[in-house]
Amino acid sequence: MENKVKFYNTLTGKVETFVPNEEGKVKMYTCGPTVYHFAHIGNLRTYIMEDVLEKTLRYAGYQVKRVMNITDVGHLSSDADTGEDKMLKGAKREHKTVMQIAKYYTDAFFEDCRKLNIGRPEIVEPATNCIDEFIHMIEVLLEKGYAYIAGDNVYFDTSKLENYYVFSSQSEKELMVGVRDDVSEDTNKRNKSDFVLWFTKSKFDNQELKWNSPWGTGYPGWHIECSCISMKHLGESMDIHCGGVDNIFPHHTNEIAQSESYTGHKWCNYWFHVHHLNDKSGKMSKSKGEFLTASLLEEKGYPALVYRMFCLQSHYRKPLEFSYEVMDNVAAAYDKLLKAVERLEDKGELDREAFDCYKNKFLEAVASDLNTAMGITVIYELLKDSINDKTKLALIRSFDEVLSLNLTGGSRKNDTEVDPEFEQYILEKIEERKAAKKAKDFAKADEIRSKLAEQGILLEDTREGVKWRKA
Ligand code: AMP
Ligand code: ZN
């Protein structure tokens, strides 16, 4: 039996008790990154909190199926269909192809996620994989009279909907976040709020990636990808859709418009939005050019998990201002916490009653609209309590299933704790494999990797070199 989880639903403007469509199972969708640049730490705040939501749901007993898209086409520099495709902008900046840029920044994004203990969603799908699905949905929207062709582009006709601005009554201000100053009029649009479903060569002739479609060679608009990719994997209804607050309008409003016009019924019941990380000069954004990344923080001496803790110390529904002073405080607190946990001795009998009591307390905190700061406070309370170390350690390990701060060090430290002779052997094998790769003897390199795997040692090739850990 699952426990209750409450969180704020942007659609209703209330904190609600979550009830999935199918008992015990959650279908969750996350708007993924636009991979034309590194993710900045603002983007990562959103992904950290979405990760906490998924882990809280699992902790509460739900099975979660989560899907994320990778935006590698169609997202223009203005969310309102004007400007250049961001991917093309990235490719030009680096004198590479769009696909090279997409691959590089997708890998970089998941590397950041790995460092920050952000779990990879079960399904990750790039938009360019799903062109047929987009074309199909647009055809149906045209057939049903929700879309029209003008100036060789296909547009969604928002005047066909009784209530297009689904989020507006609850979050008028957030709605305005998406309205940019640089929005210029597209005279093909029948209504100002209409949006592009498919661009053809009539617009942006220099677009690098183009596909054939019934409306001419072109490429999809940004919003259609999330409707199609979610339906491809989750079916025509789902439980939770997530993103940052800037996604509320126009992106999520448009996703709902096209999805519900396509299916003829309600699409998603809960909308979860994370507020922005700002720096002193305002919202952190990739298009500003200069921004902070997880790697930059590491270079400055802040481990990625300090940034995760920085995010968990504040509530996801409040804007968060980044500052090095606060990061320093969090780094010191994190260090102290790790040391306090390290002093605990894994001995004695588990105190079941105390375990259940604290586990409930922790779950109650995180299941109350993701009060992660309160969840961390429960750890401090627990450390001060007189219950035995064994129980404390078991609880902290359990809380870390949600917080993912590597608190018990266990996963990290024990991962590389082997006897010195064996360690020497592993390091020699890694060197041998390196030499084999250099000599282009990939069969031998693979053989060394497999042999180590049989012995319970896994190798990982990272930008910093080869790392190993116990399986
Ligand atoms: P993008 O890669 O620009 O498509 O954005 C990826 C995710 O980061 C989206 O869910 C955005 O809503 C979110 N996001 C963008 N800017 C910020 C910010 N400053 N703080 C938090 N989340 C953000
Ligand atoms: Zn989306």
Side-chain angles (χ1 to χ4, degrees):
M1 178 62 199
E2 310 76 47
N3 288 283
K4 282 187 178 155
V5 176
K6 286 188 248 155
F7 60 90
Y8 182 85
N9 182 359
T10 316
L11 202 56
T12 57
K14 289 189 205 110
V15 173
E16 292 181 332
T17 301
F18 173 66
V19 184
N21 286 322
E22 192 182 337
E23 210 185 312
K25 293 193 175 156
V26 185
K27 290 181 178 179
M28 184 170 170
Y29 183 85
T30 298
C31 290
T34 309
V35 284
Y36 73 112
H37 219 320
F38 292 111
H40 58 61
I41 57 171
N43 303 128
L44 295 169
R45 177 192 194 194
T46 291
Y47 294 111
I48 288 170
M49 297 318 297
E50 292 167 349
D51 178 62
V52 171
L53 175 63
E54 176 180 349
K55 287 175 177 164
T56 299
L57 290 161
R58 289 186 192 280
Y59 200 66
Y62 289 101
Q63 275 178 39
V64 184
K65 180 169 180 184
R66 183 162 166 219
V67 177
M68 182 196 269
N69 66 308
I70 298 288
T71 298
D72 54 1
V73 69
H75 193 174
L76 304 192
S77 54
S78 150
D79 287 355
D81 304 332
T82 59
E84 198 175 8
D85 186 320
K86 291 186 179 188
M87 294 302 300
L88 199 58
K89 203 168 144 183
K92 278 191 195 155
R93 187 185 62 228
E94 298 184 19
H95 308 288
K96 292 197 179 123
T97 65
V98 165
M99 278 297 124
Q100 283 169 333
I101 290 283
K103 161 109 184 60
Y104 181 77
Y105 288 113
T106 304
D107 290 348
F109 171 71
F110 285 113
E111 176 60 14
D112 284 343
C113 290
R114 190 190 62 75
K115 287 182 195 159
L116 286 158
N117 283 344
I118 299 169
R120 189 185 169 103
E122 190 182 324
I123 293 158
V124 175
E125 178 98 67
T128 49
N129 265 11
C130 302
I131 303 297
D132 289 345
E133 283 89 343
F134 305 162
I135 291 176
H136 168 72
M137 187 176 277
I138 298 168
E139 278 179 322
V140 173
L141 291 172
L142 277 163
E143 261 165 45
K144 287 186 155 190
Y146 288 107
Y148 59 91
I149 300 169
D152 286 346
N153 295 324
V154 187
Y155 293 88
F156 187 92
D157 187 347
T158 53
S159 71
K160 290 280 165 18
L161 303 182
E162 258 172 55
N163 184 17
Y164 165 66
Y165 292 102
V166 278
F167 294 109
S168 63
S169 52
Q170 296 85 28
S171 47
E172 204 90 47
K173 279 206 193 102
E174 283 129 323
L175 186 74
M176 298 313 290
V177 174
V179 181
R180 309 277 158 86
D181 302 334
D182 60 349
V183 177
S184 61
E185 279 295 330
D186 177 345
T187 50
N188 292 318
K189 290 185 182 180
R190 289 185 193 158
N191 313 286
K192 220 174 159 183
S193 50
D194 291 356
F195 55 91
V196 174
L197 296 167
W198 188 267
F199 292 102
T200 73
K201 57 182 179 302
S202 67
K203 203 160 180 177
F204 315 128
D205 247 339
N206 61 351
Q207 188 71 3
E208 194 176 302
L209 297 179
K210 295 180 212 175
W211 294 265
N212 289 330
S213 82
W215 319 287
T217 308
Y219 65 101
W222 173 37
H223 317 294
I224 196 81
E225 65 181 81
C226 292
S227 295
C228 292
I229 293 174
S230 79
M231 284 189 205
K232 178 173 173 186
H233 300 286
L234 300 172
E236 291 191 356
S237 300
M238 65 163 153
D239 299 297
I240 308 174
H241 192 125
C242 332
V245 283
D246 60 310
N247 285 157
I248 297 174
F249 185 83
H251 186 49
H252 289 166
T253 305
N254 292 349
E255 283 186 33
I256 293 175
Q258 60 204 4
S259 298
E260 298 192 350
S261 302
Y262 171 80
T263 64
H265 59 73
K266 183 147 185 196
W267 180 41
C268 177
N269 292 329
Y270 299 86
W271 289 80
F272 174 86
H273 291 110
V274 180
H275 282 251
H276 279 159
L277 179 86
N278 301 311
D279 54 23
K280 287 208 168 65
S281 59
K283 183 196 150 200
M284 201 165 282
S285 89
K286 285 190 226 180
S287 52
K288 277 190 193 166
E290 256 179 49
F291 50 79
L292 271 174
T293 60
S295 308
L296 258 168
L297 284 184
E298 279 182 326
E299 275 170 31
K300 288 178 192 281
Y302 300 96
L305 291 183
V306 169
Y307 180 63
R308 185 171 174 110
M309 176 130 159
F310 173 90
C311 292
L312 300 189
Q313 291 281 25
S314 81
H315 197 251
Y316 78 94
R317 231 158 21 91
K318 288 202 189 102
L320 177 58
E321 187 172 306
F322 181 80
S323 88
Y324 286 108
E325 293 89 286
V326 180
M327 279 292 279
D328 286 336
N329 292 338
V330 174
Y334 182 56
D335 215 37
K336 226 169 136 188
L337 188 56
L338 291 184
K339 290 208 170 98
V341 178
E342 215 169 288
R343 283 194 291 272
L344 299 173
E345 286 187 73
D346 203 359
K347 277 193 215 145
E349 283 282 299
L350 186 85
D351 180 342
R352 194 77 240 178
E353 202 179 316
F355 184 90
D356 290 344
C357 165
Y358 267 102
K359 190 171 171 180
N360 284 339
K361 227 181 196 180
F362 176 79
L363 181 59
E364 209 173 295
V366 287
S368 300
D369 200 18
L370 256 54
N371 195 341
T372 42
M374 181 61 82
I376 293 172
T377 306
V378 175
I379 304 177
Y380 289 118
E381 235 179 81
L382 170 70
L383 285 169
K384 278 195 220 133
D385 201 319
S386 58
I387 60 173
N388 69 28
D389 281 9
K390 171 107 188 161
T391 312
K392 286 184 183 175
L393 262 177
L395 278 160
I396 292 169
R397 235 175 250 135
S398 161
F399 302 165
D400 222 18
E401 286 171 30
V402 176
L403 303 175
S404 298
L405 289 168
N406 291 358
L407 291 175
T408 51
S411 51
R412 279 273 156 103
K413 229 186 331 154
N414 292 340
D415 266 1
T416 52
E417 239 170 41
V418 293
D419 72 57
E421 247 174 65
F422 189 43
E423 184 172 7
Q424 189 56 36
Y425 165 81
I426 296 167
L427 296 177
E428 277 166 18
K429 287 288 156 195
I430 289 176
E431 281 309 311
E432 248 181 64
R433 179 170 168 265
K434 212 162 124 189
K437 276 174 100 174
K438 209 169 164 198
K440 301 219 178 330
D441 188 351
F442 297 110
K444 185 171 177 198
D446 284 347
E447 198 184 301
I448 295 170
R449 179 201 278 275
S450 309
K451 176 89 180 124
L452 281 171
E454 275 168 31
Q455 293 168 304
I457 299 299
L458 301 180
L459 300 187
E460 196 185 341
D461 294 306
T462 73
R463 259 185 272 166
E464 295 87 38
V466 180
K467 294 199 171 143
W468 66 270
R469 63 178 172 83
K470 289 198 272 184

